[in-house]
Amino acid sequence: MSAEGSKKAIVAALLANAGIALAKFVGFLVTGSSSMLAEAVHSVADTSNQGMLLLGQKRAGREADKLHPFGYGRSRYFYSFVVALVLFTLGSLFAIYEGIHKIQHSHDHGLESPLVAVVILVVAICLESYSFATAYRESRPLKGTTSWWRFIRNSRTPELPVVLLEDSGALIGLLLALGGVGLTMITDDAVWDGVGTLCIGILLGIIAVILIVEMKSLLIGEGATEDEEAQLLAALQSDGVDRVIHMKTQYLGPEEMLVAAKIAIPAGADAVRIAETIDSAEARVRSAVPQARVIYLQPDIDRGTR
């Protein structure tokens, strides 16, 4: 998928989170709910995160130069990694701190007009559901028949897994906040608001760690998936190529893969035949895996020892 599909999901999430953050801050000022404050900070973090994802896409579109001959495609991985760090520090750690503080001082911090918080949280759930539905719709063509967990683990397009996990965490966090405020209303004990806040922080921490691990792996450099590797080998091993002696791949960006391989050709092939074989193999590879845009093929005679 091109960056356009992920951009739609990012913009939808940015608009939804900006509106939600404003509503939550108003709700916090009216009610004094720590769950509402944690969720407001969470939404601010998400809004800034979407801005960074858009910035990453813009920087990734710069032309290759002498300093970066393979281009700037990995900028999208870098900014997605930064997003994961922001989610962990500004979202998770703040919520955990607020939750512990509220539990320890629950008798000093009651809720005022809790019904206002409930209404705002319900509206936020509707807006967040719209953002999640957009990310879900844009991700389905990439996901195919695999599970969502495998999609998150194997996707080389970083923005969609980031937005999907952010929106999933936001929806669950809103339900936790709603539960905390609701139990506080029922029991007249603000400790439940603190418990809800603490649960939100733990949830965000888990999501952030998953994203940090995945984005770090992409930033360092991941190769083709198992399915893509099988397609590459099948495309190379035909029409004048006896076998692939060895092959290495690496994603230079979400939509650009480097393929380097040593291929065995029949003994006695002349220079013209070798050139034709390489050109044909490159064409087959690009047809089988369109992301394979940078291809280096080294011909060799098959001696059966490498």
Side-chain angles (χ1 to χ4, degrees):
M1 176 182 288
S2 67
E4 191 61 33
S6 58
K7 188 175 182 179
K8 289 181 181 179
I10 296 170
V11 171
L14 187 149
L15 294 175
N17 283 314
I20 291 170
L22 180 61
K24 287 175 182 175
F25 273 119
V26 172
F28 164 70
L29 292 174
V30 173
T31 66
S33 167
S34 65
S35 291
M36 187 68 73
L37 177 59
E39 275 296 304
V41 173
H42 175 196
S43 293
V44 169
D46 283 352
T47 304
S48 63
N49 288 345
Q50 269 81 64
M52 281 190 282
L53 291 178
L54 290 174
L55 178 61
Q57 286 194 342
K58 182 177 180 181
R59 289 184 175 259
R62 290 182 292 176
E63 295 292 331
D65 53 34
K66 187 174 182 180
L67 185 61
H68 297 91
F70 289 109
Y72 292 83
R74 284 190 184 169
S75 292
R76 290 167 67 179
Y77 297 149
F78 170 75
Y79 282 95
S80 296
F81 181 74
V82 173
V83 162
L85 292 177
V86 171
L87 187 64
F88 182 79
T89 54
L90 189 57
S92 174
L93 295 182
F94 178 81
I96 290 174
Y97 166 79
E98 276 296 314
I100 294 174
H101 178 76
K102 188 62 177 281
I103 292 172
Q104 292 175 338
H105 302 88
S106 59
H107 297 295
D108 302 329
H109 301 282
L111 292 185
E112 299 178 8
S113 304
L115 190 60
V116 175
V118 172
V119 171
I120 291 175
L121 288 171
V122 170
V123 172
I125 288 172
C126 295
L127 291 174
E128 202 67 64
S129 296
Y130 161 73
S131 174
F132 177 80
T134 302
Y136 178 87
R137 184 173 59 252
E138 296 298 332
S139 300
R140 281 201 63 84
L142 276 178
K143 172 184 172 290
T145 58
T146 63
S147 66
W148 283 105
W149 176 246
R150 187 176 179 185
F151 166 70
I152 291 171
R153 293 298 309 273
N154 291 341
S155 177
R156 302 303 190 259
T157 303
E159 296 91 355
L160 290 176
V162 168
V163 175
L164 272 173
L165 283 175
E166 271 192 354
D167 288 348
S168 300
L171 281 172
I172 298 173
L174 287 167
L175 293 175
L176 290 172
L178 192 60
V181 172
L183 286 172
T184 298
M185 292 174 62
I186 294 171
T187 64
D188 197 28
D189 188 349
V191 72
W192 292 109
D193 186 39
V195 170
T197 307
L198 182 60
C199 291
I200 291 170
I202 294 171
L203 171 69
L204 293 180
I206 293 171
I207 292 175
V209 168
I210 293 172
L211 286 176
I212 287 170
V213 171
E214 292 303 314
M215 295 307 120
K216 172 178 174 287
S217 180
L218 288 171
L219 190 58
I220 292 173
E222 289 190 359
T225 64
E226 291 183 6
D227 291 341
E228 289 170 340
E229 185 172 337
Q231 293 172 7
L232 290 170
L233 290 173
L236 285 171
Q237 294 177 150
S238 64
D239 191 20
V241 178
D242 292 340
R243 70 184 179 96
V244 177
I245 299 173
H246 61 74
M247 179 181 71
K248 293 185 182 295
T249 63
Q250 188 173 94
Y251 268 88
L252 303 174
E255 294 146 22
E256 186 174 38
M257 184 198 300
L258 166 68
V259 179
K262 178 178 282 191
I263 55 176
I265 59 174
D270 59 21
V272 173
R273 179 57 182 164
I274 292 173
E276 290 175 348
T277 299
I278 291 176
D279 290 342
S280 177
E282 289 182 354
R284 292 194 305 271
V285 166
R286 290 192 171 94
S287 177
V289 183
Q291 297 94 326
R293 298 181 183 178
V294 182
I295 305 172
Y296 297 107
L297 299 180
Q298 179 183 350
D300 199 354
I301 297 174
D302 191 355
R303 298 181 176 88
T305 58
R306 287 171 292 178

